[in-house]
Amino acid sequence: MTHSATAHQRPSIKNILSIAGSDPSGGAGIQADLKSIAAAGGYGMAVISALTAQNTRGVRAVHVPPASFLTEQLTAIAADLHIDAIKIGMLANAEVITALGDWLNTIRTPTGLAGAMVPTVILDPVMIATSGDSLLDPAADAALRQLFTHADVITPNIPELGVLARGAVAATWEQAVGQARAVAAEYRLLVLAKGGHLEGTSCRDALIDATGVLTEVSSPRLDTQNTHGTGCSLSAALATHYARGGHWPTALAQTKTWLTEAITRSDDLRVGHGHGPLNHLATLWDRAPEGAGEDPMPHWWEEITPILTGINQLAFITELSAGTLALEHFEDYLGQDALYLRGYASVMSKASALAPDEAARRFWAASAASCLEEELALHRGRLGNQLPEPSTATDAYLNHLSSSAHDYPVLVAALLPCFWIYQDVGRRLAAANHPEHPYADWLSNYASEEFDALTREAINITRDVLHHAEPSTRVSMWQAFEVSSLHELGFFAQTGADTEQQSDPVLTAQKAPAI
Ligand SMILES: Nc1ncnc2c1ncn2[C@@H]1O[C@H](COP(=O)(O)OP(=O)(O)OP(=O)(O)O)[C@@H](O)[C@H]1O
Ligand SMILES: Cc1ncc(COP(=O)(O)O)c(N)n1
């Protein structure tokens, strides 16, 4: 089956428009709506009616752009995008409400979008925030009621329902249902009565028309203060599920199950000190394959592929592999390698001193020691203690390592390529090894089980540090890793095997990966 054939068989993704206020803390308003729409499987669009300056503790200020700009946003959307459902949230004042009503008139009547399906409208009559701050001008009451003629469902909370029913705030679920019936009858729409503000061990919600309860859902009342934006999230998810399935009882049940989980999992988040937000995407994240997208190390490796290719194409490597490398070039390399390893061991000692935990301290100290003992022994055996002056390439690489030593995470990342790239190069060289190979002892050195284990540990340490690092540190770590990788290329490329030839090493990979 072709890819396009599969795509045709899937139901199309519904386009859900949220018309609401912005909550910069991300828990309510437009921000909550977009997350809820995404969690419910819809494509979210957002027209902003008002900007609030708020956090989880309360609303500090509200800025309402001119109502004509709301109309601009709405007409821009409608001129291009099909809208399957509309969720309406905070509207701030009567001008905004009137402008929205005028626009809804154009799309909800036959004179509007020719031939297009009329979008379902769910209206959350946002009046007062969880924090107690007013989000609607009290003088807008009449305009809001007028807007109900364009709505299929309204989702008032208990105090809002009381206002709409022109009665007292309901103290029991039965009173709430009674008020919802009256409002549903007056405006000829469905009312979702929500029990969040009542007392009791359960939280009931019901879709109600003039005749009574159409469908009811219930969840245990969760002991949490993370209820900022529950009303916004509920109405946006309900709009999406209804657009997808076209069946109110199912849409409400799906919404309630998700909402309850999102409230339960709100403790996973660390957002603010007041009424925290829901964890809108918790169930989605749960469904991701274990560790998916979490291990950046393969991505780091992928990003240095051009550098690795450059190394593998060097005459030094191909001739070393074939056993045709001139001894003078090999000894040039060994001399610089011996100098490098001394510096490398000393920087690993610094990493040991900086390491925040015992295991990492031991790893870097042991690596520094083995680097000095075993590898220098090999060099001394071949070089007879005759060390050359450091080359520009050796100096440059060691300077980079030393300058990375100010910060443990950056240093760890800078040290890694010498493990990882050597392991990779070593494996290739070892595969070409044979007893008569002129550099057999050298080739076998890097392709040992022990070196593999050290490399794995260096990668694990880097991953762990990266995981706990701030975003800016992650960027610095990647840069240090990439620069060290380039120095590896420069280091391998410095012998006469390459410098006496025409081609420059390929220094290409400069693109930072997403980390
Ligand atoms: N403590 C809770 N435990 C479980 N569900 C809750 C809790 N509080 C609210 N809910 C649910 O959250 C949804 C929103 O209900 P609520 O009555 O609080 O509306 P709201 O006041 O408009 O919301 P908001 O907190 O955004 O102002 C309903 O489904 C309600 O049952
Ligand atoms: C922009 C905006 N819209 C709606 C709400 C209501 O949500 P809550 O009652 O949970 O504070 C809000 N606080 N901010």
Side-chain angles (χ1 to χ4, degrees):
M1 187 183 293
T2 64
H3 182 75
S4 60
T6 314
H8 280 305
Q9 284 166 11
R10 286 195 200 115
S12 65
I13 306 297
K14 300 297 179 190
N15 292 341
I16 315 300
L17 172 62
S18 165
I19 303 165
S22 160
D23 168 10
S25 75
I30 281 286
Q31 289 80 356
D33 290 350
L34 289 175
K35 292 173 211 177
S36 307
I37 294 165
Y43 173 78
M45 303 173 283
V47 161
I48 301 186
S49 55
L51 295 119
T52 69
Q54 68 175 299
N55 54 32
T56 62
R57 288 172 165 150
V59 181
R60 296 171 175 211
V62 175
H63 170 71
V64 187
S68 59
F69 191 70
L70 181 89
T71 309
E72 290 278 354
Q73 296 179 69
L74 293 167
T75 46
I77 299 281
D80 185 32
L81 288 78
H82 176 77
I83 305 165
D84 292 293
I86 299 174
K87 172 252 152 93
I88 300 170
M90 173 184 175
L91 294 173
N93 64 34
E95 289 77 52
V96 169
I97 295 174
T98 305
L100 174 56
D102 289 346
W103 176 76
L104 283 170
N105 254 329
T106 67
I107 65 157
R108 296 264 292 181
T109 63
T111 55
L113 297 171
M117 269 176 57
V118 175
T120 305
V121 174
I122 296 191
L123 196 161
D124 186 19
V126 176
M127 296 178 188
I128 314 260
T130 302
S131 53
D133 301 289
S134 172
L135 295 174
L136 180 69
D137 181 352
D141 183 81
L144 185 67
R145 290 172 192 270
Q146 180 62 30
L147 194 64
F148 288 173
T149 54
H150 296 294
D152 297 292
V153 180
I154 58 170
T155 62
N157 62 23
I158 292 284
E160 289 157 353
L161 184 58
V163 171
L164 296 177
R166 298 181 188 84
V169 176
T172 64
W173 179 243
E174 289 66 33
Q175 285 172 10
V177 170
Q179 288 184 335
R181 279 183 68 170
V183 173
E186 182 175 353
Y187 299 102
R188 281 184 281 163
L189 40 60
L190 295 175
V191 175
L192 180 73
K194 303 181 292 189
H197 290 249
L198 292 172
E199 308 267 291
T201 54
S202 63
C203 281
R204 296 163 78 175
D205 304 322
L207 262 178
I208 292 160
D209 70 5
T211 63
V213 172
L214 291 183
T215 182
E216 184 174 319
V217 288
S218 178
S219 74
R221 180 173 299 278
L222 300 163
D223 183 16
T224 176
Q225 65 163 5
N226 299 335
T227 53
H228 177 56
T230 44
C232 305
S233 305
L234 171 76
S235 53
L238 185 64
T240 311
H241 283 303
Y242 183 72
R244 296 187 67 187
H247 186 242
W248 286 117
T250 307
L252 182 60
Q254 289 169 322
T255 301
K256 184 72 170 176
T257 303
W258 162 78
L259 188 79
T260 307
E261 181 68 11
I263 300 174
T264 306
R265 298 284 295 278
S266 63
D267 290 341
D268 297 351
L269 303 175
R270 296 277 170 278
V271 182
H273 301 90
H275 289 284
L278 319 184
N279 191 346
H280 292 91
L281 299 174
T283 44
L284 203 67
W285 293 337
D286 287 347
R287 271 187 265 135
E290 184 89 34
E294 281 174 9
D295 185 1
M297 303 319 293
H299 194 52
W300 277 27
W301 186 249
E302 212 175 286
E303 287 294 323
I304 60 163
T305 305
I307 300 175
L308 299 171
T309 306
I311 292 173
N312 289 323
Q313 287 172 352
L314 289 171
F316 175 75
I317 298 294
T318 54
E319 291 174 12
L320 180 58
S321 174
T324 57
L325 183 69
L327 186 60
E328 58 171 314
H329 297 328
F330 184 58
E331 287 182 345
D332 277 356
Y333 173 81
L334 287 188
Q336 293 306 319
D337 201 29
L339 291 169
Y340 169 79
L341 287 170
R342 281 187 185 181
Y344 188 61
S346 129
V347 188
M348 282 203 285
S349 304
K350 283 192 188 147
S352 174
L354 292 172
D357 60 273
E358 188 61 30
R361 268 194 293 280
R362 280 174 186 276
F363 172 78
W364 295 118
S367 298
S370 84
C371 178
L372 284 176
E373 284 165 19
E374 292 178 34
E375 303 186 64
L376 282 179
L378 185 73
H379 286 101
R380 271 196 293 269
R382 282 192 167 263
L383 295 171
N385 283 334
Q386 294 285 310
L387 288 189
E389 285 299 302
S391 68
T392 316
T394 306
D395 265 344
Y397 196 171
L398 289 175
N399 284 342
H400 165 62
L401 293 179
S402 305
S403 68
S404 304
H406 64 284
D407 191 18
Y408 179 69
V410 176
L411 178 56
V412 162
L415 288 169
L416 185 58
C418 186
F419 283 93
W420 209 350
I421 294 179
Y422 256 82
Q423 182 200 35
D424 186 63
V425 171
R427 277 184 184 159
R428 276 175 232 278
L429 292 176
N433 204 2
H434 52 84
E436 282 76 47
H437 197 291
Y439 307 116
D441 60 341
W442 177 262
L443 298 195
S444 62
N445 189 46
Y446 281 106
S448 65
E449 293 273 320
E450 194 193 345
F451 193 68
D452 282 352
L454 290 176
T455 304
R456 268 198 307 278
E457 187 57 21
I459 295 170
N460 288 342
I461 288 176
T462 310
R463 179 192 296 108
D464 193 50
V465 173
L466 191 66
H467 184 70
H468 293 99
E470 295 294 319
S472 61
T473 305
R474 291 176 176 214
V475 172
S476 305
M477 288 178 71
W478 154 252
Q479 286 165 346
F481 176 81
E482 188 189 32
V483 170
S484 285
S485 303
L486 286 165
H487 281 302
E488 287 288 331
L489 172 56
F491 194 84
F492 282 121
Q494 68 177 305
T495 74
D498 288 279
T499 55
E500 289 162 13
Q501 296 190 3
Q502 67 301 353
S503 65
D504 281 334
V506 191
L507 301 174
T508 45
Q510 297 297 340
K511 186 168 74 69
I515 43 177

